Amino acid sequence: MNLNNLQDLQRELKDFGFNPKVTDELEKNMKALPGHFTLKDQLPGDKGIVDMTLHFHKSGQSDNYAFNKFEVTAGKVPPTIENQHYMVISADKEKPDKFLVKNFESPNEALDFFKKQKGTSELAVGESAEVKQNLASMKDGKLNYVNPDFRQAYFSPAVSQTFYIKDGKGYSATQAANLVQDRTVYRTDMMTKEGDPYKAWVRLDFDTKKDDYGNHKFKQFHHPTYGFDMEKTLNAFKIKELAEPEKKAELIRAFNNGDRVAVTAIGKDGKEAKVMAEVVPRYGKLNFFSEKGAMMKREQFTKTVAVETSQNRSQSQNKAQQQSQSRGIR
């Protein structure tokens, strides 16, 4: 194992924002010198866990490894509470009076595994096969029950995307998690095919057909030509944190990253409300959500209507010409 290569990869994983446990597992996997291996990571999502699978490939000429892509999946299966896990319980074909139990750290993987079963199986969550809650079941490969509280998670398809790393550049773990949750991130290190740098807001295009590799295409909103103005957008609302320069800068960094951020918004009645907010550059707006994720009317937090109306008019005029489809994003 090349120790310099290990250090470089550990630094790269840290820069991309993956959890420290991934860095710890990296060395264990590299010691055996396999041709390829994967590491798992997770981030909390709005409606469930966001799973990440990182791929590492060994060079054909040396013992060096390269981290060149990671797959991200966002579903609506809720995370477990402490001491519980998801499990798939299946009939043992060789021993009819016994059953097989497979435990999962990932809710998305548990659901996917259950849906692929051909026999009699049960998807459950709990401390063990003896202490559990039944979420779904099937007999002879046919679904015959889904817990009413689990139906939305079961029947809502997960969103998956592969993100590629090139020359140490690409989307961070948090940015990727935000993108698969239909949010927009700001990139300052974009490059045209001709090698010219530019800046753009980027989101996944869920309205068009996936590419030949099963990935959603990227849609770009070039900055500043598209016309989205972060300052004007934020200043149209009564947000307490904007009054303090440090907190305002922190908010802008988070919004640029695609985060849904906790803010203190002030309503028309002058009362403060703890809400979540995220920017929507393609419409030049700021969306507000309750702490439980329900959409809220932004008008109740606006200073004036004129600022937003003016900006939206500008967006409409520029949208057709300035919006472009991304190719070869780095």
Side-chain angles (χ1 to χ4, degrees):
M1 180 178 63
N2 188 309
L3 295 180
N4 290 118
N5 180 224
L6 172 64
Q7 290 179 338
D8 290 341
L9 288 174
Q10 289 175 331
R11 188 182 307 109
E12 189 172 6
L13 293 179
K14 181 179 179 181
D15 291 343
F16 275 93
F18 293 100
N19 288 312
K21 69 171 187 177
V22 177
T23 302
D24 295 337
E25 294 173 0
L26 179 64
E27 182 174 0
K28 299 176 185 177
N29 282 268
M30 287 179 62
K31 282 183 177 179
L33 297 178
H36 167 262
F37 66 89
T38 61
L39 297 178
K40 300 287 188 178
D41 198 4
Q42 292 181 336
L43 286 176
D46 298 332
K47 298 180 180 179
I49 291 294
V50 178
D51 286 310
M52 301 185 179
T53 302
L54 290 65
H55 291 259
F56 297 83
H57 290 271
K58 183 174 173 292
S59 168
Q61 288 73 43
S62 68
D63 292 338
N64 286 350
Y65 285 87
F67 170 44
N68 49 24
K69 69 177 181 179
F70 61 106
E71 298 156 354
V72 183
T73 300
K76 294 185 179 180
V77 184
T80 59
I81 61 176
E82 188 176 1
N83 296 325
Q84 291 193 357
H85 52 264
Y86 283 87
M87 65 192 86
V88 174
I89 305 170
S90 305
D92 190 336
K93 295 180 180 180
E94 298 180 359
K95 301 177 181 178
D97 59 331
K98 301 290 184 180
F99 55 84
L100 304 174
V101 181
K102 184 174 177 63
N103 297 319
F104 295 85
E105 292 185 8
S106 164
N108 295 319
E109 290 184 0
L111 179 56
D112 184 61
F113 183 83
F114 171 77
K115 288 183 176 181
K116 293 177 181 178
Q117 297 305 296
K118 303 298 183 182
T120 299
S121 297
E122 176 187 354
L123 174 65
V125 63
E127 296 180 7
S128 66
E130 290 73 31
V131 184
K132 59 177 172 56
Q133 179 185 13
N134 182 19
L135 300 176
S137 62
M138 64 172 64
K139 185 174 183 180
D140 299 327
K142 294 183 178 180
L143 185 69
N144 60 9
Y145 174 75
V146 178
N147 188 304
D149 296 331
F150 191 69
R151 286 176 185 171
Q152 183 180 14
Y154 187 92
F155 292 108
S156 299
V159 177
S160 296
Q161 183 80 2
T162 299
F163 294 88
Y164 294 91
I165 307 298
K166 187 174 181 180
D167 300 328
K169 293 183 179 181
Y171 292 95
S172 70
T174 302
Q175 288 175 336
N178 285 329
L179 284 167
V180 294
Q181 294 178 94
D182 199 17
R183 294 205 280 273
T184 311
V185 305
Y186 183 56
R187 290 283 299 272
T188 61
D189 58 349
M190 307 291 283
M191 299 286 288
T192 65
K193 289 183 177 180
E194 294 73 28
D196 298 321
Y198 67 96
K199 303 174 183 177
W201 288 90
V202 186
R203 65 180 292 266
L204 293 181
D205 189 350
F206 295 106
D207 300 322
T208 60
K209 184 180 178 181
K210 293 182 180 181
D211 65 20
D212 294 338
Y213 300 97
N215 283 318
H216 296 282
K217 297 176 182 178
F218 291 91
K219 183 173 287 187
Q220 298 183 25
F221 307 91
H222 290 220
H223 179 77
T225 53
Y226 184 74
F228 174 67
D229 189 315
M230 176 75 80
E231 286 284 340
K232 284 185 179 180
T233 300
L234 295 181
N235 289 336
F237 299 92
K238 298 177 182 178
I239 298 175
K240 187 175 181 180
E241 287 80 4
L242 296 179
E244 300 181 40
E246 290 186 4
K247 290 186 177 180
K248 179 179 179 180
E250 185 178 340
L251 277 180
I252 291 177
R253 283 194 294 269
F255 284 139
N256 285 344
N257 211 35
D259 294 343
R260 181 176 290 183
V261 189
V263 300
T264 307
I266 303 173
K268 299 292 185 182
D269 57 2
K271 294 183 179 180
E272 296 181 359
K274 295 292 185 181
V275 299
M276 305 299 291
E278 66 179 58
V279 295
V280 189
R282 58 176 165 160
Y283 297 131
K285 293 180 179 180
L286 192 66
N287 283 343
F288 292 91
F289 303 83
S290 69
E291 293 183 330
K292 293 184 178 180
M295 179 78 80
M296 303 176 71
K297 292 183 178 180
R298 68 175 65 85
E299 290 77 13
Q300 63 185 308
F301 304 122
T302 55
K303 292 179 181 177
T304 62
V305 179
V307 174
E308 185 175 345
T309 302
S310 175
Q311 183 167 325
N312 287 344
R313 187 183 301 114
S314 175
Q315 296 297 329
S316 298
Q317 294 171 349
N318 290 331
K319 193 173 297 181
Q321 295 181 348
Q322 301 300 339
Q323 192 168 310
S324 63
Q325 194 70 37
S326 166
R327 293 181 177 84
I329 294 179
R330 292 185 181 180

Coordinates of all heavy atoms in Angstrom, one line a residue, residues 49 55 92 138 147 159 249:
I49 N -33.0 9.1 4.6 CA -31.5 9.0 4.5 C -31.0 9.2 3.1 O -31.6 8.6 2.1 CB -31.0 7.7 5.1 CG1 -31.2 7.6 6.6 CG2 -29.5 7.5 4.8 CD1 -30.4 8.7 7.4
H55 N -16.5 4.9 -5.0 CA -15.8 3.9 -5.8 C -14.3 4.2 -5.8 O -14.0 5.4 -6.2 CB -16.4 3.8 -7.2 CG -17.7 3.2 -7.2 ND1 -18.0 1.8 -7.6 CD2 -19.0 3.7 -6.9 CE1 -19.2 1.6 -7.5 NE2 -19.9 2.7 -7.1
D92 N -36.8 -19.8 4.7 CA -35.6 -20.6 4.3 C -36.1 -21.7 3.5 O -36.8 -22.6 4.0 CB -34.9 -21.1 5.6 CG -33.6 -21.7 5.3 OD1 -33.4 -22.2 4.1 OD2 -32.7 -21.7 6.2
M138 N -44.7 -9.9 1.4 CA -45.1 -10.5 0.1 C -45.2 -12.0 0.3 O -44.5 -12.6 1.1 CB -44.1 -10.1 -1.0 CG -42.7 -10.6 -0.8 SD -41.6 -10.3 -2.2 CE -41.6 -8.5 -2.3
N147 N -47.7 -1.3 5.3 CA -48.2 -0.6 6.5 C -48.7 0.8 6.0 O -48.0 1.5 5.3 CB -47.0 -0.4 7.5 CG -47.5 0.2 8.8 OD1 -48.0 1.3 8.8 ND2 -47.2 -0.5 9.9
V159 N -34.4 8.6 -5.7 CA -33.7 9.4 -6.8 C -32.2 9.0 -6.7 O -31.6 9.2 -5.6 CB -33.9 10.9 -6.6 CG1 -33.1 11.6 -7.7 CG2 -35.4 11.2 -6.8
A249 N -23.3 36.1 6.0 CA -22.3 35.4 5.2 C -22.4 33.9 5.3 O -22.3 33.2 4.3 CB -20.9 35.9 5.6

